[in-house]
Amino acid sequence: QRRIWFLHSQPEVELETVTVNVTIQDFVADVGSELFYRNTQQVSREIMFIFPVDSNTFVHSFHATMGDTRIEAVLWEKEKAQQLCKTTPGLENFRCLQDQCGLWGPVFACFLGTLPPNGEVVIHLCYVQELLLQPDGAALFCWPKDLFPMMKNFTWCFSEEEDAASENLHFRVCLKSAHGVSHVIINGRNSPLQYTAPDQTSAQVSLKLPPWREDLNLLVYYRGSHALSAVVERGDPKGQPGSLLGDPVVMVTLTPNIPEVVPNPGRCGEFLFLMDRSLFQDAQVPTEELPHLSSAYPSISPQNTLLFLLKSLPLGCYFNIYSFGATFKAFYQQSVEYTQESMDNAVGQISSICPDLGGCDLLGLLKCIYSTPLLPDHPRQLFIFIQRKISSEEEAVMDEVCRYRDKHRCFCFPTSNCGSFNLSQAMALETKGECVCIHSRMEMASEAVKCLQQALQPLASGITLHWDLPPGLEVSIIRKAPEMIIQGYQSSIYVQIHGQAQDPEVGEGAVTLQYHVGSQSFDHTLRFSLYPSPDDRLPVHCMAVMQLLGTLACEGTSGAQKDIWHSAVKSSLSLGVLSPFTSSVAVRMKQNDAWKCDSFPPDFSMLVSCNLVPCQLLWLRGFRPMWFKSTQFWMVQTCQFCLDALSHKGPGSGTLTQLSSSCKGKEKLPSWVFLKLVALQKANGSWSLTAALASALGLSKADVERQRPSEAVQLTTWATVLALVWLHQYKWKVSWSELLEDKACRWLQDQPEVQLDECLAAANSLLGCIVEPSIFRT
């Protein structure tokens, strides 16, 4: 993910000099920056600083200086801050910004006022950020190209240009890791990596020239395996022992190793399909979308997508289907196990979904789902199909999703004209899911099944941490371990270490990560120092405070939690960490009158008497147009035309009779045969030898029975091999049938004494196919 900072102003206010100091410890970055801007025009400019934030980025210090004026953002308890804001002029600028800005989502914004001709403004911004894990195991730190000084007539060939750049670019990165720093990759010209410790646990590197028209991407590689890493940070000497600020805090980053091939993976999970009922309003496909086909073809509808998803689910999982509009409705009161009976019942209910163009109560539906307890060993994954705009409830929806982001994944499918695309993208991002823009209903089923295939990949679950600390020390969990971790992602938890060690000579602790993937169990143990070197900025404490306050805001504060709440809010104010219980307040004052904020903001009466400046955490509702390309439009559009003909009674003979009549004259099209095969496949992946199946394959039932390799081969086995061979032969026509094939293969492998080679030879001969034995993959 890429987050952009920018000074919201006229382009004539140029960024001339940048100083950035970054300290990276494993997967946490502490960034201090100074940005020097100048108004190069002969007219004054009103300027505003806007900084997008997310759940992994926390601003803890901001101030700006213009001449002898200093504007500083401080935190105050929310109720008092709201009273201050009522007396602050200029807040209408923020309300205008919310609807007109090109960005979407939460931002930190501060109105800086008017910058005169040739005037200068210096922005000081410090923030802490969790870094994302890359597929090759690196930690990725990004810095946007917008925050590099403009290099005019710049070439990269001569040293004098590099010397000129060094005058206005000061970019230094310090690296620390108990694993040891291996190397870095930077897409800009940089100094050689210099180690600052004999054991190579710390190093530094400087940027000499920024990337040309690109964001800076800094990849940090550590030594050895880092399925488990820990950053220990001492408490603030000024903090009270026993408090969150005064005690050590540990940030543990979990990156479980998930094997690609897992014996008996037990593909289990809870799959919830959420369908916007406005998608069901227009079942007709515009003729211009189908230039190569007659308008007499049956219409395409989202019911098709639900059918394919249901047929692709594995036995042993749980599922439910919800439709939402002004109200929401579930097929079942709670998720049910996937069996032949429940699948047939759900297929029968698909046609009962009625169009609804009223309101959109996605928020109410999500609250209902999240209030339902998780099923043990069945990770929850949501597939959300949406067309209409959520509008005023976007922020509340995101709050709800973020609250449970460690407990589920969201796969979102907004249509190309959906007003909630940004919301869909944010939901997927926060939960480590996927967001796919759907341009036509012909894409919907194929893209959804691809995401289902991704959702069925092995993941780490049953995650637990066990701590081994010297006698006298204990841990308090600030952020719990997640319910699941997906391959290629990491999750960070935070704990507070409190107490007094009985033996001060014991300077190490240990933590053990345990989890399972399918039926396999794994564990990793990491030893860490309890007495690291001090860090004045306390980045790990900042993140821990933010996580704790977020948890308390979600759960409410009972009587037993009051002390924790007061301690956390006090730490929030001391560290400058914005939280659900605090708000930003900006104060304008002369430099010589500026107060020094050592541990607390100035008192309330002092703020009232100062010149207040609009400064808030805003939720922007802008939309930046995005363009998408579909490389599979032609491939999948012929695979979905007549699913509407499926009867609500399930895939019985009546359904196929109706389907066959609607497909009369088109039996040679593989897509129509595929449709029939999908309708006939059972929940366990097999097919029964029926006249309907034989007809779908262009054969008679008598011919199929006559060509059975031997009487020892069960009719169901023979029918399943035939259907599987046909699917495999035409998978280039239907590229997303792999899940259906997987189910058939697993069923065949579970059958005793099956002569697969003999059945394959007979099926190839009967169908005129050339399919290799590798089709029966394990």
Side-chain angles (χ1 to χ4, degrees), residues 609-731:
S609 63
C610 289
N611 187 6
L612 300 179
V613 175
C615 176
Q616 286 185 16
L617 184 68
L618 299 177
W619 185 273
L620 301 185
R621 296 187 289 268
F623 179 77
R624 177 169 292 169
M626 301 182 69
W627 297 95
F628 300 88
K629 294 181 179 180
S630 172
T631 59
Q632 298 181 328
F633 176 80
W634 179 270
M635 183 183 299
V636 303
Q637 63 185 359
T638 60
C639 300
Q640 306 178 39
F641 291 136
C642 62
L643 281 176
D644 288 338
L646 287 172
S647 168
H648 67 278
K649 298 179 181 179
S653 58
T655 299
L656 291 177
T657 301
Q658 180 182 3
L659 179 63
S660 298
S661 63
S662 65
C663 300
K664 188 175 182 180
K666 307 178 181 67
E667 289 83 3
K668 293 182 180 180
L669 288 176
S671 57
W672 298 98
V673 181
F674 173 71
L675 170 63
K676 295 181 183 180
L677 292 181
V678 171
L680 290 168
Q681 189 176 26
K682 296 187 177 299
N684 61 10
S686 68
W687 279 266
S688 296
L689 184 50
T690 62
L693 176 64
S695 175
L697 299 176
L699 303 167
S700 68
K701 184 181 179 182
D703 289 339
V704 174
E705 291 177 341
R706 204 164 33 246
Q707 295 297 322
R708 182 168 47 147
S710 67
E711 291 187 0
V713 176
Q714 297 294 321
L715 290 175
T716 302
T717 300
W718 173 229
T720 301
V721 171
L722 282 172
L724 179 60
V725 167
W726 189 97
L727 282 176
H728 195 79
Q729 177 73 15
Y730 290 102
K731 71 182 305 177

Side-chain angles (χ1 to χ4, degrees), residues 20 41 49 85 96 120 315 322 327 608 614 770 773:
V20 182
Q41 300 300 301
F49 187 82
C85 288
C96 180
E120 302 170 355
L315 285 175
Y322 299 84
T327 59
V608 172
I770 306 176

Side-chain angles (χ1 to χ4, degrees), residues 354-372:
C354 299
D356 180 357
L357 296 179
C360 186
D361 191 18
L362 178 60
L363 177 61
L365 174 54
L366 290 175
K367 287 183 175 181
C368 176
I369 291 173
Y370 295 151
S371 66
T372 305

Side-chain angles (χ1 to χ4, degrees), residues 231-233 244 247-252 465 467 469 474-481 492-498 511 528 540-541 544:
V231 177
V232 184
E233 187 173 83
L244 178 57
D247 282 346
V249 169
V250 185
M251 172 185 173
V252 181
L465 287 176
W467 296 86
L469 298 178
E474 297 179 343
V475 297
S476 295
I477 305 299
I478 296 173
R479 181 181 180 184
K480 299 178 182 178
S492 296
I493 69 167
Y494 299 87
V495 300
Q496 174 186 352
I497 299 179
H498 54 86
V511 59
F528 55 85
V540 176
H541 278 75

Side-chain angles (χ1 to χ4, degrees), residues 18 28 67 91 112 167 195 233-234 237 355 363 376 398 402 407 454 466 535 672 765:
V18 169
V28 59
L91 288 178
L112 300 179
E167 296 178 2
Y195 290 103
E233 187 173 83
R234 290 188 178 185
L363 177 61
M398 277 309 303
C402 290
K407 300 180 182 296
Q454 178 182 341
H466 300 277
D535 189 325
W672 298 98
S765 175

Side-chain angles (χ1 to χ4, degrees), residues 182-215:
S182 173
H183 62 284
V184 297
I185 296 178
I186 307 177
N187 62 335
R189 188 174 298 180
N190 59 277
S191 65
L193 183 68
Q194 295 182 340
Y195 290 103
T196 55
D199 58 0
Q200 298 186 346
T201 55
S202 64
Q204 64 182 24
V205 64
S206 296
L207 182 67
K208 292 185 176 181
L209 289 177
W212 179 246
R213 296 181 179 178
E214 291 182 357
D215 295 341

